[in-house]
Amino acid sequence: MSPRVGPVRRPLWRDRDFGTYWIAQSLSAVGDSFAYLAMPLLVLQATGSVARMGLLTAVAGVASVGAGVFGGVLVDRYDRRRLMITADLARLVLYSLVPLAWLAGPQVWLIFIVLPICEAAGMVFQVAAVTAVRNLVDRDQITEANGRLQATYAAAAVGGPLLAGVVSARFGPTAAIAINAASFALSAAGLWLVRLRQPVRSGGGPVGDGGAVAAGGAIGAAGRERPLAEFLAGARFLWRQPALRSLTVLLSVFIFLTFGFTDVLIYHVKHDLGGSDRTVGTVLGLAALGTIAGALLAAPLRRRRGFGVTWVGAISLCGLAILGIGVAGTVPAVTALTAVYLCGVSVGGICSMSLRQEITPDHLLGRVTSAFWSTHYSLGPAGAAVLTWATGRYGVTPVALVAGVGCLLIAIAGLCTPIRGAGSVAAVHERELQLATES
């Protein structure tokens, strides 16, 4: 009988560690949704430029991609829980600087320093958070756990922007950023109470055997390799696995087309439709219901339709929604279509993340996740800059039409790659792992 990882399986709702982790990250998600709205509003209020908003998004994206190069190495080398706590505390301090500095007047330059550093810390946190799920639940519970986490994040994102819009309208965006800073303290406190399971190698021995740092994220001899060599080990696995390689390439193009979507949406609601800060918050909050729907639908859709059909359908839904936003002329219509778009993003993202978690060895999971996100987001900063520049020059409608058609082409391309039959990958993963990790 093959060895089990961690304790005897129990329902997720009765798992104390998963429940604590779930609550802590949900509270943090509420705070994140405040900054999600407040940061672009601060720049837009201070400069009046959608292009400047896009530049901030691009700079932050570059920092995130850069952090992704070494983030996976850190996650596989050191304790994952402690890394997440450290990232939370760093963001607590940095985000707190913005409202304090704003007391002396607008300090746009500070945002261009704080946000990239916070995004870099956030990338390390996200890599660790994805790998932590593998150490919290059994393998056949991964998609369910991801769905529950994403659904709760989305539920928090519904109320978050609504409250952020009210707070920003009454007290200013800096107050919303202060609330975001406080949320990281709650997240760090929750993570301190969580204990991750110690992973087991395919040969049966725990990762901690032979002097490696214990559970939740250390590696043995690989920890002595150079960081670049460790990162490339994850990149090689990602590239040699056909379905993951195809996903990485297509999702990189997808992120180029959509990375600046939030900036464009905020500009569209405020500039074209004449909405207020509260209106923007309402649109983003109600649209997040689509993320909840997608998170709840991801696992059953994948079980019934398979990975390939579900993922291609989700990307197609995103493209159709963006096309609709380009021609919609009312706030309710934009809100509904944004919810459809976020539903597609949620389903596709959960399926993609779960597939990587299922077929990647634990000792490589941080580096594979890091390699994926570094590649996946590498085109994002340029895409955000191009998207927002084009919006300022040509308007929302033509930009949305181009982006929507591009997403539909990505979905069509997915039918011509191993993604189409990726539902069978999990069933034969042992054989493919051996081939992928040879040499």
Side-chain angles (χ1 to χ4, degrees):
M1 181 179 294
S2 60
R4 293 187 62 83
V5 179
V8 176
R9 176 180 175 179
R10 56 184 177 274
L12 291 182
W13 63 271
R14 295 183 59 189
D15 189 312
R16 175 189 172 277
D17 285 321
F18 178 77
T20 303
Y21 181 85
W22 192 1
I23 293 171
Q25 297 317 298
S26 298
L27 292 172
S28 180
V30 174
D32 284 339
S33 64
F34 273 66
Y36 175 68
L37 174 68
M39 281 296 197
L41 283 177
L42 269 182
V43 176
L44 186 60
Q45 288 182 1
T47 66
S49 170
V50 66
R52 188 70 64 88
M53 293 168 64
L55 179 61
L56 176 64
T57 302
V59 171
V62 169
S64 181
V65 171
V69 174
F70 62 83
V73 176
L74 293 177
V75 168
D76 283 340
R77 182 180 289 189
Y78 301 110
D79 185 88
R80 292 167 182 169
R81 183 176 65 97
R82 292 180 182 176
L83 280 175
M84 294 166 71
I85 292 172
T86 301
D88 272 341
L89 295 178
R91 289 181 288 177
L92 164 64
V93 173
L94 288 167
Y95 275 120
S96 297
L97 294 176
V98 175
L100 291 175
W102 231 259
L103 294 174
Q107 310 289 335
V108 176
W109 62 270
L110 180 62
I111 295 180
F112 277 84
I113 295 175
V114 167
L115 189 58
I117 298 175
C118 287
E119 286 296 304
M123 171 60 82
V124 176
F125 182 94
Q126 290 173 30
V127 174
V130 169
T131 59
V133 172
R134 174 78 170 263
N135 303 129
L136 279 169
V137 302
D138 292 334
R139 180 173 174 174
D140 57 355
Q141 294 176 307
I142 287 177
T143 300
E144 180 186 357
N146 285 330
R148 291 194 178 198
L149 285 167
Q150 294 301 321
T152 309
Y153 295 163
V158 172
L162 293 172
L163 293 174
V166 172
V167 170
S168 296
R170 185 173 179 82
F171 304 106
T174 54
I177 294 174
I179 293 175
N180 178 48
S183 74
F184 290 115
L186 297 175
S187 175
L191 288 169
W192 185 257
L193 301 175
V194 173
R195 293 295 179 269
L196 302 182
R197 305 176 187 178
Q198 184 166 338
V200 176
R201 294 190 184 280
S202 59
V207 173
D209 287 357
V213 179
I219 57 177
R224 303 185 185 92
E225 297 177 5
R226 293 181 179 180
L228 179 59
E230 293 183 43
F231 174 81
L232 291 177
R236 282 196 298 270
F237 179 88
L238 189 68
W239 188 253
R240 292 175 180 176
Q241 214 295 325
L244 295 185
R245 179 175 66 241
S246 300
L247 277 172
T248 303
V249 172
L250 293 181
L251 285 174
S252 296
V253 180
F254 179 80
I255 206 70
F256 176 85
L257 295 171
T258 61
F259 196 65
F261 178 77
T262 300
D263 293 334
V264 173
L265 181 64
I266 292 174
Y267 177 79
H268 185 40
V269 173
K270 285 185 67 70
H271 182 269
D272 298 338
L273 303 181
S276 64
D277 289 356
R278 182 175 297 185
T279 304
V280 173
T282 301
V283 169
L284 294 178
L286 294 178
L289 291 171
T291 306
I292 299 176
L296 296 175
L297 289 171
L301 281 175
R302 185 180 172 190
R303 283 195 300 267
R304 295 174 185 176
R305 301 298 180 183
F307 176 86
V309 172
T310 302
W311 187 87
V312 169
I315 299 300
S316 300
L317 194 66
C318 292
L320 293 172
I322 293 174
L323 286 172
I325 290 170
V327 298
T330 65
V331 171
V334 169
T335 302
L337 288 165
T338 303
V340 173
Y341 164 77
L342 291 177
C343 179
V345 170
S346 180
V347 171
I350 290 171
C351 289
S352 172
M353 178 168 57
S354 299
L355 186 68
R356 290 196 311 276
Q357 291 168 323
E358 290 165 1
I359 68 178
T360 303
D362 188 87
H363 70 282
L364 275 175
L365 186 55
R367 284 166 285 170
V368 169
T369 301
S370 179
F372 170 78
W373 278 348
S374 296
T375 305
H376 172 45
Y377 284 112
S378 61
L379 296 179
V386 171
L387 205 69
T388 52
W389 170 83
T391 298
R393 185 177 180 90
Y394 302 108
V396 172
T397 299
V399 171
L401 292 177
V402 171
V405 170
C407 291
L408 292 176
L409 291 176
I410 290 171
I412 294 172
L415 295 174
C416 305
T417 70
I419 292 173
R420 181 177 180 177
S424 62
V425 172
V428 297
H429 73 280
E430 293 294 344
R431 175 176 174 271
E432 293 189 331
L433 289 180
Q434 293 176 357
L435 294 174
T437 54
E438 284 180 356
S439 74

